[in-house]
Amino acid sequence: MPHSKQPSHFQSLMLLQWPLSYLAIFWILQPLFIYLLFTSLWPLPVLYLAWLFLDWKTPERGGRRSAWVRNWCVWTHIRDYFPITILKTKDLSPEHNYLMGVHPHGLLTFGAFCNFCTEATGFSKTFPGITPHLATLSWFFKIPFVREYLMAKGVCSVSQPAIDYLLSHSTGNLVGIVVGGVGEALQSVPNTTTLILQKRKGFVRTALQHGAHLVPTFTFGETEVYDQVLFHKDSRMYKFQSCFRRIFGFYFCVFYGQSFCQGSTGLLPYARPIVTVVGEPLPLPQIENPSQEMVDKYHALYMDALHKLFDQHKTHYGCSETQKLFFL
């Protein structure tokens, strides 16, 4: 894909701000939080800890989203940097609940973040009556302050209780799961369209148990915004990455993009278009205890629908006619 116009200095700063925000909150607020316990301001962290105890289950009970946070102007600068857009192929009825497969993971999942966790691309106007939730690692919701930030954007835990709650309480909920997970991030390099999906069937079983419609999505350009250094499976660095994942739940990826000066290397992503195409929902029956054969059947139908979605739109968004979508 060709580069779009060089982003403004302000947009570049906003892009650096977002992926580093989790680290900033963790490494600055957490030590400060502990420090306050040993000062005259100790009632403040104690009150928050009491609140945290009483509020512990909220991430698994629908969360606590904030329209104000989702409409921060910073998200529009992130949107315009690439730019990021969303394409609807079919309406989603508010009378149903939906389980959406988000593909591919990419490195930082810019497309899903901007389209489903903010209103920068106008999700609520595109899909009126639908409330989006993007699922992420459960342990994020155990970190003080980080949990509040995530819930405010409509992010939910990827735990089974959290997803069950959203799919069984009211209608019009859309729960997005990055099915390929962190394993797919390690394979995120430009010009690749390989998804980890062949054996990922738990989301289909969950959809069947709740009678939720499956929605395939594919984000074109997600793997084009960074280059990644890949290591051989026998190398020490790959073993370190595997160890890192066992401890923290995600891989330590070595990647690079551009800097503030065009043509030089840095940590900013390449300013290349990202388009999330939301496919037609696949209706599923509600079966409390679906058999493996039933799960396999609808998993195959989902993969077929995702494959058709990719083929129908690939030439419009930077892929060649011969580009194939592969499932691992």
Side-chain angles (χ1 to χ4, degrees):
M1 288 185 182
H3 286 259
S4 62
K5 64 180 181 179
Q6 183 70 2
S8 70
H9 184 74
F10 181 74
Q11 288 177 321
S12 299
L13 287 175
M14 292 302 99
L15 256 292
L16 277 178
Q17 181 184 29
W18 176 71
L20 296 177
S21 62
Y22 295 119
L23 292 177
I25 293 173
F26 184 78
W27 292 113
I28 296 175
L29 289 185
Q30 308 303 318
L32 178 61
F33 182 80
I34 296 172
Y35 169 76
L36 290 177
L37 287 170
F38 301 95
T39 69
S40 59
L41 296 176
W42 64 265
L44 293 178
V46 168
L47 285 173
Y48 180 81
L49 287 174
W51 159 257
L52 193 64
F53 176 77
L54 295 173
D55 195 56
W56 191 252
K57 292 293 184 179
T58 298
E60 295 185 351
R61 295 173 181 169
R64 185 171 48 249
R65 66 201 298 115
S66 167
W68 176 65
V69 173
R70 288 174 57 86
N71 282 281
W72 280 353
C73 64
V74 62
W75 312 137
T76 62
H77 291 290
I78 293 176
R79 175 201 65 196
D80 295 340
Y81 175 93
F82 293 98
I84 297 174
T85 55
I86 187 170
L87 176 66
K88 176 177 70 173
T89 60
K90 293 289 182 179
D91 290 331
L92 299 181
S93 170
E95 297 179 0
H96 303 288
N97 282 325
Y98 303 89
L99 194 56
M100 174 179 64
V102 177
H103 313 277
H105 185 290
L107 281 164
L108 294 178
T109 324
F110 284 112
F113 161 78
C114 197
N115 286 316
F116 305 123
C117 300
T118 81
E119 287 296 329
T121 57
F123 181 91
S124 294
K125 294 180 180 178
T126 306
F127 296 99
I130 302 297
T131 304
H133 304 266
L134 185 64
T136 190
L137 297 174
S138 301
W139 71 269
F140 282 140
F141 296 93
K142 295 177 172 59
I143 305 175
F145 305 113
V146 171
R147 67 192 296 275
E148 319 300 339
Y149 167 68
L150 292 176
M151 284 193 291
K153 294 195 301 180
V155 179
C156 70
S157 167
V158 77
S159 68
Q160 193 66 48
I163 296 174
D164 287 339
Y165 184 94
L166 290 169
L167 295 180
S168 60
H169 287 71
S170 71
T171 58
N173 286 313
L174 173 71
V175 182
I177 299 178
V178 188
V179 182
V182 294
E184 210 168 76
L186 201 61
Q187 302 180 24
S188 178
V189 292
N191 302 315
T192 58
T193 48
T194 300
L195 306 178
I196 299 178
L197 181 61
Q198 196 76 42
K199 297 181 180 179
R200 303 288 173 94
K201 301 180 180 181
F203 73 105
V204 178
R205 182 179 298 277
T206 297
L208 283 167
Q209 290 171 338
H210 294 279
H213 295 194
L214 285 175
V215 180
T217 70
F218 192 91
T219 300
F220 292 92
E222 187 68 60
T223 60
E224 307 297 319
V225 297
Y226 277 118
D227 288 303
Q228 182 176 187
V229 180
L230 301 180
F231 300 96
H232 192 273
K233 291 187 177 182
D234 293 330
S235 67
R236 291 182 178 180
M237 189 59 193
Y238 184 85
K239 292 176 181 177
F240 167 75
Q241 288 178 313
S242 300
C243 180
F244 189 92
R245 182 193 176 181
R246 286 193 294 271
I247 297 173
F248 296 102
F250 57 93
Y251 283 106
F252 181 90
C253 297
V254 180
F255 58 90
Y256 60 92
Q258 65 182 16
S259 71
F260 293 108
C261 301
Q262 191 171 15
S264 57
T265 301
L267 289 178
L268 283 173
Y270 300 121
R272 297 171 179 172
I274 295 176
V275 182
T276 298
V277 182
V278 181
E280 181 178 359
L282 175 65
L284 269 66
Q286 184 170 5
I287 305 173
E288 185 176 353
N289 294 301
S291 65
Q292 188 59 50
E293 289 76 18
M294 187 66 70
V295 173
D296 291 342
K297 171 187 174 181
Y298 283 99
H299 183 262
L301 289 174
Y302 176 83
M303 288 198 300
D304 184 57
L306 180 60
H307 206 288
K308 289 180 180 177
L309 184 71
F310 175 80
D311 285 341
Q312 288 171 359
H313 297 275
K314 63 183 181 182
T315 56
H316 300 293
Y317 302 114
C319 296
S320 67
E321 184 65 43
T322 59
Q323 185 78 35
K324 301 295 183 182
L325 183 64
F326 298 99
F327 299 131
L328 296 180

